[in-house]
Amino acid sequence: MKAVIQRVDCAKLSVDGNIISQIGQGLVVYVGVEQGDSEANVVAFSQKLVNLRIFSDANGKMNLSVTDVKGDILLVSNFTLCADISHGNRPSFTGAMRPPLAAKEMFDYCADVVRDLMRQAGLQDNVKCGVFGADMLIEQNNCGPVTIIY
């Protein structure tokens, strides 16, 4: 499993000109599901994500998590994170989970685990998702910028 986690002030995701998901302060998380990923990988990643202390406290130190700031999470499936560019100039995606239905199920499981963890923190509707396999347009205001690669 690979992920790019970006701290944002706001973000909006559209498909075919229609806004699908929109968040305020929080995290935009691009998730690539790889061959061999398991539910245990998803749970470990999800726990790390909701507890990652990358928001500033009163002293300007990155010491708060998305749950501490009562922020939002936008999860976006992104198989291109699984690209291998070690040979030639065209990326190979053989490391991405196949078939696509299995990757979708693993991504959906990730969204469910993150939602459950956020609910446990009292944040009921703070997790939004993109559309698996769709051509998405994402507008986001990066804050910092803070970008973490998992």
Side-chain angles (χ1 to χ4, degrees):
M1 174 171 262
K2 292 184 178 176
V4 173
I5 303 160
Q6 296 186 307
R7 187 177 73 182
V8 300
D9 286 330
C10 61
K12 177 172 56 172
L13 184 145
S14 302
V15 175
D16 295 329
N18 298 312
I19 297 171
I20 303 299
S21 298
Q22 196 165 349
I23 65 168
Q25 177 188 29
L27 303 172
V28 173
V29 184
Y30 298 93
V31 178
V33 181
E34 298 179 293
Q35 295 286 351
D37 281 344
S38 67
E39 290 183 355
N41 297 124
V42 169
V43 170
F45 165 72
S46 300
Q47 290 171 334
K48 179 70 73 175
L49 177 65
V50 299
N51 293 302
L52 194 61
R53 298 184 326 177
I54 60 173
F55 291 89
S56 299
D57 64 14
N59 297 318
K61 188 172 187 173
M62 286 197 302
N63 206 22
L64 302 174
S65 69
V66 68
T67 57
D68 293 329
V69 300
K70 300 190 180 345
D72 301 321
I73 297 176
L74 174 58
L75 295 170
V76 182
S77 62
N78 189 339
F79 81 97
T80 63
L81 289 177
C82 304
D84 177 0
I85 57 170
S86 61
H87 303 288
N89 294 320
R90 178 178 293 162
S92 168
F93 301 105
T94 57
M97 184 172 276
R98 285 186 174 34
L101 180 58
K104 181 182 183 326
E105 288 172 357
M106 192 65 72
F107 177 80
D108 290 345
Y109 179 67
C110 180
D112 289 342
V113 173
V114 171
R115 281 188 185 103
D116 287 344
L117 291 168
M118 292 291 279
R119 270 189 215 108
Q120 290 171 21
L123 303 169
Q124 307 310 343
D125 296 314
N126 291 53
V127 179
K128 309 293 184 202
C129 292
V131 178
F132 188 91
D135 203 7
M136 297 172 270
L137 177 65
I138 299 136
E139 299 174 49
Q140 62 187 62
N141 290 341
N142 289 358
C143 183
V146 174
T147 300
I148 307 291
I149 298 172
Y150 178 88

